[in-house]
Amino acid sequence: MDGRDLVRSMKTVGSVGVAQGLRTVQAAWRSRRADAAGLPSRGAERARVPGPMREVEPGPGGGVVRFGRSELRILVAVNGAVFWGWDGAGPEPSYALAGRCPEPDPRAVLEPDKDGGWRVVAERATVAVSRHGAVEVRTPGGVVLRRELPPRWWEPVGGGPARWTQRSEVAADARFFGLGGRSAGPRLRNGTYRLWNTGPGLPFAAAEDAASVTMPVQLVVADAGTHLVFHDSTWDGTVALREGEEGAGSGHDRPGRSVLRMDGGPLRCWVTVGTPARVLLTWASLTGAPALPPAWALGHQHARWGCGDEQDLRRAVAGHQERDLPLDAVHLGLGHADAERVFTVDEERFPKLPVLAEELRREGVRLVSAVEPAVAVAPGNAVYDGGTRGDMFVRDATGAVVRGVGRPGEVVFPDFTHAGVREWWGGLHEERLGRGFSGVWHDLDAPTSFAAFGEPTLPRSARHAVEGRGGDHREAHNVYALCMARAGYEGLRALTPDERPFVLSRSGWAGLQRYGGAWSGDAAMDWPGLRASLAQVLGLGLCGVPYAGPDVGGSGGSPSPELYLRWLQLAAYLPLFRTSAGSRAAGRREPWEFGDEVLEHARVALVERRRLLPYFVTLAHLARRTGAPYVRPLWWQAPEDRALRDCEDAFLLGDCLLVAPVLGAGTDRRAVRLPRGRWYDVATERAYEGPAQVLVDAPRARIPVFARAGAVVPVRGEDGAPELEVWAPARGRTGGGLVVPDAGDGWVEPEIERYVSRWEGRRVVVEREGEDGLSEPSWPVRVRGLAEPAAQM
């Protein structure tokens, strides 16, 4: 436990009560004692740099460059991604990669470069290595996108993992994004960002940079091009970023800088270069296609944190139905389970849950069960006894099972970095499915060095299997939740092979998208918390996790009616749309609890989300096939537009819609930055020409949403049947869109339908593209947006 952890633990004492808080601090000190005994002292260290270049050995896709005190392996893969690793590090094994490393590109060769260096020339990038170990990533035209200075290691004299630092430079105009779901994003300004998944604690706001899903993934956008860099180490570390400055007429630019400091792990790196869409496509080919959520998971979901019982659940569902509020799923928080038995529902409060679940399913409402990794130390309980017999739990440096403080009291933790443990844990989901649940929501899945709210804690010295290689919690912490998500996903898929699994995680790491999505955790119940939750969703999407969203209203008590409404209106356009009946300390927070005005406006947002469900289904299928996030920054299609790179208060939903949420109190008008092209206000159908900044109304009833001219958007018509909503293209131009029909919740891969829109005389014509040419659309068509462009600001 370091000073930061102690301060947070002290804050927790005041926030959750003295008894609970003292137990938190006691758990933290217990972890510290375990680490003092189980972790070796670093002692004296010696610094090392690569030294001068000695020899070069070309190989498939690149080769090996040997220096006086290290060696560098370079590989260009067939998908265009570039890998390099120091000290003999290769791409495998890696928790981030989906399967094996891609094959090397036979066209990429290691050849001499200027000044005695060497380079590998690939289709989309050139990688150059200097005589002393600096690595440059250049565009095909020779412009430097990134320069990695020679790394430096600090190695304990007595042996042990080496710390290392990698300093990098980017263009003066570059902007940093990524590093997981950062509440301080999406653009990452000057500062230091920690790479250590945080567990639940005090609610976070935008300035606090809380992140339950961290990953060393930077997406860097500059005039010269976009690139993604991933340093593949799961250890604790920090990234210090400083944006560059362009010379004001002097011609002397100060480059942007990144300093990555890691406490251990291999120094290895992947880089992808190209347009944002190309970069994310290549990243998905490395780390895995995003899991396709069930169609119901793209609708409105409602979380119930409190304990409650079957009658409370019935009242919540009936409340939505009686008020004509669409509802597709209800999440039951950890309180619905027996505190001593992880995979057992409390039968006293939910005696007929399977019957109720079946009734709700017939009404179109699914149930999702919260699951935590902590297992109560309760001899006689099947999960605890089975895990003990099978040696499934994490042990400490002495070989004893680690016991921590958790929600049910004294707990132990499965070691999800062991394949056998994941298989055992996945099989336990049979009980949840038997109770009628359709998916799982992982909470408290990032054991930390302190235990806020009495939640699980693992010391850094705890031992893990790490897929048979062996290691401790310093290496396993950041991937613990990733491995738990894998266990849940594979277990559900094996138990219900005809249905797509639904797994939602609080925490995770690179590759989390293979198994499901992420929710943003405990956002502060204020306007900065609202802004932070949007930043997290954007950041996760740029790191390859497209399905994400916050809890409407944040964490804590009851938000103001205005804050709740604006949060709900934003969330209606995010991939995971989940309202919440409050946090652990809050009461009921359904829309009708905030008055008739909020209820009416909330109904409009909920109905609009249901109307757009076919569009969200399309975005989900496209994300799986291309890696493109549903929610994208405004610069997605024009990264060279600097004004868009600095815009953080609006986003694109797919290619067709632009959403400008209200992120401050008392706002009834707001300025919106529009990318190039014609855009229609979907409420008024007025047309605006971009690039421009426009001032539009943002009444309490709605937030500004714009449609791109020519867009073809699949929606639900008034009769519930699918139809195409087409926004008229500008005269003399064409438009279009992609549509993926909903094929149910199984594994059928529906065909992508491609549509074009154009003017023919005085009417807009929509046609479907196919191998045999153009044909009539397979869905009804409704054309909107025939107004003339409005005046600009």
Side-chain angles (χ1 to χ4, degrees), residues 175-202:
R175 296 290 183 261
F176 297 101
F177 300 87
L179 298 183
R182 318 300 302 207
S183 58
R187 173 184 163 193
L188 302 176
R189 290 172 169 76
N190 299 350
T192 300
Y193 302 87
R194 192 179 183 192
L195 298 170
W196 185 257
N197 290 347
T198 58
L202 299 177

Side-chain angles (χ1 to χ4, degrees), residues 49-55 65-72 86 129-134:
V49 294
M53 186 182 295
R54 298 298 190 194
E55 61 178 351
V65 182
R66 295 186 175 89
F67 297 85
R69 290 176 290 277
S70 187
E71 69 176 33
L72 176 68
W86 288 94
V129 183
S130 76
R131 291 180 299 152
H132 293 281

Side-chain angles (χ1 to χ4, degrees), residues 58 323 328 388 391 491 588 619 662 666 677 750:
R323 296 168 177 85
D328 297 276
T388 300
D391 193 18
R588 302 171 66 87
L619 294 178
V662 172

Side-chain angles (χ1 to χ4, degrees), residues 1-11 25 28-29 450:
M1 181 177 73
D2 59 20
R4 175 172 15 188
D5 295 334
L6 179 59
V7 170
R8 293 187 69 183
S9 294
M10 288 292 111
K11 288 182 179 180
V25 176
W29 282 112
F450 73 103

Side-chain angles (χ1 to χ4, degrees), residues 372-419:
E372 62 179 314
V375 176
V377 178
N381 172 259
V383 176
Y384 175 74
D385 291 346
T388 300
R389 288 193 302 269
D391 193 18
M392 303 295 184
F393 302 126
V394 176
R395 295 181 177 271
D396 63 19
T398 68
V401 173
V402 174
R403 295 194 177 191
V405 176
R407 185 179 59 90
E410 193 171 35
V411 294
V412 292
F413 310 93
D415 182 5
F416 295 117
T417 68
H418 189 291

Side-chain angles (χ1 to χ4, degrees), residues 184-264:
R187 173 184 163 193
L188 302 176
R189 290 172 169 76
N190 299 350
T192 300
Y193 302 87
R194 192 179 183 192
L195 298 170
W196 185 257
N197 290 347
T198 58
L202 299 177
F204 62 80
E208 297 173 355
D209 184 42
S212 57
V213 183
T214 69
M215 56 185 85
V217 178
Q218 295 179 30
L219 189 73
V220 184
V221 183
D223 288 353
T226 300
H227 72 274
L228 180 148
V229 59
F230 167 54
H231 289 89
D232 192 356
S233 171
T234 66
W235 285 64
D236 193 2
T238 60
V239 180
L241 299 178
R242 188 180 71 176
E243 294 181 344
E245 292 182 1
E246 296 180 285
S250 66
H252 297 290
D253 293 346
R254 177 173 63 80
R257 299 185 185 277
S258 166
V259 181
L260 174 62
R261 294 182 173 89
M262 301 297 291
D263 288 349

